[in-house]
Amino acid sequence: MAKRSDNKSLGNKPGSGGTSPPPSLGARLRQAREARRIPIENIAQRIRVPVAVLRAIEEDRLEGLAPIYVRGYVRAYAHIVGLGEDSVLALLPSAEMPVVVTARSGRLMRQNVMPGGGLKVATLAVVVVLVGLTVASFRSPVVDDAAIDAGLDAGVAEPEAPAVASAPTAPEIRAAPGTANGVVPHPETPPAGPAATAPEPAATRPEPGTVADAGAPPSSAPAAVEAPIELSPTELSQPDALLAAGHKLVLELDRESWTEVQDARGAKLYYALAAAGQIINVAGEPPFRVVLGNAPDVEVFYNGKPFDFTPWSHGRVARFTVGAPPPADGRQ
Amino acid sequence: MFRRLRGLFSNDLSIDLGTANTLIYARGKGIVLNEPSVVALRKGPDHSNHRSIAAVGTEAKRMLGRTPGNIMAMRPLKDGVIADFTVTEKMLQYFIHKVHGDRFLKPSPRVLVGVPCGSTQVERRAIRESASGAGARGVYIIEEPLAAAIGAGLPVSDASGSMVLDMGGGTSEVALISLNGIVYADSVRIGGDRIVDAIVNYVRRNYGTLIGEATAERIKHTIGCAYPGDEVREMEVRGRNLAEGLPRSFTLNSNEILEAIQEPLSGIITAVKTALEKTPPELAADVSERGMVLTGGGALLRDIDRLLQEETGIPVIVAEDPLTCVARGGGRVLELIDELGPEVLSLE
């Protein structure tokens, strides 16, 4: 009986294919199964799918099942009844990746305001304007002179000028900008700010081993010695002085620790396993991105001041940024 | 700052850093790279330790087992995790640049990398550092079975159990997922590599002939099967006879390969059965009714679904395009991070 009906349907195809609608997926599967006289229970037993589910597929009731399962069951079913998998699967919707968060329906999806090229073009335009402004400001002689003068004045007359001799306990000492005996800045990381354009080297950057000795008065500039000696060490890190002298980071290790320091440009200033007792002294363009593998045994000083990185410690590892501008996230 | 700027001109990438193959899915573009995780290194002159990259990916894989003394073709990942940190970093760097092509700005994409669920924190950190070192400006880590389930199209956000078995080159991972999270996951260090090793050992033991890994892999692809079928397929193989020391050819059939790979297959079956045993009853009912989905290259082994079906008694479905499920799922997760924030899934 089943065979006869199948023959009928097969016989109808070539002759009246254009007039009657093609059989649905479920009908095709059922017809093929009946043509082979395979009970639906046998197929259920073979592919381990409940009979009810197979009946639902035969009746094209696919609503309750995820597409991937339907495709899997249909593929296995078609294989058993000898139908071409591809031709049957073509009748099914493709198993698209699901929207993962459907449970949080209360949240609105954020859309990109300027997706794709618009954002890129806008960014390029902003960058071009910024670069233009920067170049223009550096070419202006008034700005340069004012900056240099301010630096010189700060070294001689202003009471806030950094005094080398007055701060023997500070980890690092900076001479006033423009002083004659100042040490040359690090070649790879020139200090940012107007002092970078000064005609004479302005900042001190001693080697790690000589940091403490650098505070000795004889090696300092006379102008700096003339400054009031009652200045406290904290005044050494006044913003003007920092801009003039370049930013420095000192890491003192009690025990060995994996240490990474990158400057603002991503240049790796230090990237190694540092030994116990080592004092790492780096200078460059802030902010510095620091990774410490053994954070509890490391002390960090930024421009002479201890830097508390405990909020960014997770276990023994600390990842933090030092010297970021205050409005960014509150880190130094 | 500059990295972020460069990031605007980079495509966010989802990377399936596999033991056998590395796949990269770029947002809006689909799978843009599918190459073997193989690197060929050229040693420096005079026994110095200096090594330079000779080839990466497909080109390097062709060199495996065929290199002269000064070149070493190696796989920097083993059992799903990094075995050689520096080489992995270089390989990733190469792939990321290859995906972006020659651009004026050096690419600095956000990257999502899949890791085996059994990997340790040290291994995950190595992958994170490696991706950062390769130029990524942000690295997200996702457990591979979760990415695979999303890539396969499983309804992971539903309050019902979805089971996935991701069979990779180095590891096989079985996971039960519900409500966007992993309820149970286990990883066994059995994958395509172990199957290849089993074939090499079988041929050496039974034919007294040594074949290379590439040959064994070809055998696996051509006549490998996991369940005895009606059709027996044969293949002519060439190797070096151990007794004579000369090249010889012989014929292998699919039943022999089935016998050869019984041990790794039983390890995978055990892992799946253990997962089913440890599944909470409600979710077990879901899995028993709907079945388990296979992803990864191992899902392409002939009749592996039939084997698991017979052994576990639940329906087993091979995902569409199982090789790319992890990378595609990771790409979808990147989109979700943009839309809903990084807390949407349990990422690291």
Side-chain angles (χ1 to χ4, degrees), chain A residues 30-326:
Chain A
R30 185 169 44 80
Q31 285 169 7
R33 178 175 64 78
E34 288 171 354
R36 291 187 168 233
R37 294 180 181 176
I38 304 173
I40 195 166
E41 290 78 14
N42 283 14
I43 294 179
Q45 173 66 25
R46 170 80 183 273
I47 64 176
R48 312 279 176 179
V49 176
V51 176
V53 174
L54 293 184
R55 286 203 194 284
I57 290 173
E58 287 189 348
E59 292 162 12
D60 295 316
R61 291 184 284 109
L62 309 174
E63 298 81 30
L65 282 168
I68 181 174
Y69 293 119
V70 175
R71 292 177 76 84
Y73 302 157
V74 167
R75 190 191 291 125
Y77 190 132
H79 182 70
I80 292 172
V81 298
L83 282 178
E85 292 177 16
D86 294 338
S87 62
V88 176
L89 290 176
L91 300 173
L92 278 172
S94 65
E96 289 174 358
M97 284 183 276
V99 176
V100 174
V101 183
T102 53
R104 303 181 187 186
S105 55
R107 297 184 61 176
L108 290 174
M109 287 191 172
R110 290 202 305 268
Q111 297 292 331
N112 284 335
V113 181
M114 297 174 69
L119 188 59
K120 291 179 182 176
V121 171
T123 312
L124 262 184
V126 169
V127 169
V128 168
V129 169
L130 283 176
V131 169
L133 286 174
T134 312
V135 170
S137 68
F138 271 95
R139 283 188 175 177
S140 166
V142 178
V143 174
D144 281 354
D145 290 346
I148 294 165
D149 289 346
L152 286 171
D153 291 343
V156 177
E158 288 181 13
E160 295 84 5
V164 173
S166 66
T169 57
E172 288 193 81
I173 309 299
R174 284 176 195 81
T179 52
N181 294 335
V183 181
V184 181
H186 194 279
E188 293 176 3
T189 55
T197 62
E200 292 180 6
T204 303
R205 189 181 179 281
E207 290 301 310
T210 61
V211 169
D213 300 337
S219 65
S220 303
V225 175
E226 285 170 15
I229 58 170
E230 63 269 17
L231 284 177
S232 66
T234 54
E235 288 174 293
L236 289 170
S237 57
Q238 290 296 320
D240 288 345
L242 297 184
L243 285 174
H247 296 253
K248 299 183 181 180
L249 190 67
V250 180
L251 297 98
E252 295 185 5
L253 289 87
D254 295 333
R255 292 182 185 172
E256 70 172 14
S257 168
W258 173 260
T259 307
E260 294 176 27
V261 183
Q262 291 185 23
D263 68 3
R265 296 174 301 171
K268 287 178 179 172
L269 305 179
Y270 197 91
Y271 191 83
L273 183 67
Q278 190 173 343
I279 298 174
I280 300 165
N281 203 329
V282 294
E285 185 181 341
F288 298 100
R289 291 196 302 142
V290 183
V291 178
L292 299 172
N294 190 14
D297 294 314
V298 182
E299 286 183 78
V300 176
F301 298 91
Y302 178 60
N303 289 329
K305 287 199 294 185
F307 179 79
D308 181 18
F309 54 84
T310 46
W312 297 283
S313 293
H314 300 283
R316 301 195 72 81
V317 180
R319 296 165 187 272
F320 54 93
T321 304
V322 189

Side-chain angles (χ1 to χ4, degrees), chain B residues 279-312:
Chain B
T279 301
E282 285 298 326
L283 298 177
D286 296 336
V287 172
S288 149
E289 186 180 327
R290 295 173 171 185
M292 173 174 61
V293 172
L294 299 185
T295 65
L300 297 173
L301 184 65
R302 192 183 299 265
D303 287 336
I304 182 77
D305 51 342
R306 183 84 194 277
L307 173 73
L308 288 163
Q309 208 161 267
E310 296 299 327
E311 291 286 342
T312 60

Side-chain angles (χ1 to χ4, degrees), chain B residues 8 182 225 282 328:
Chain B
L8 278 176
I182 292 179
C225 66
E282 285 298 326
R328 284 188 290 124

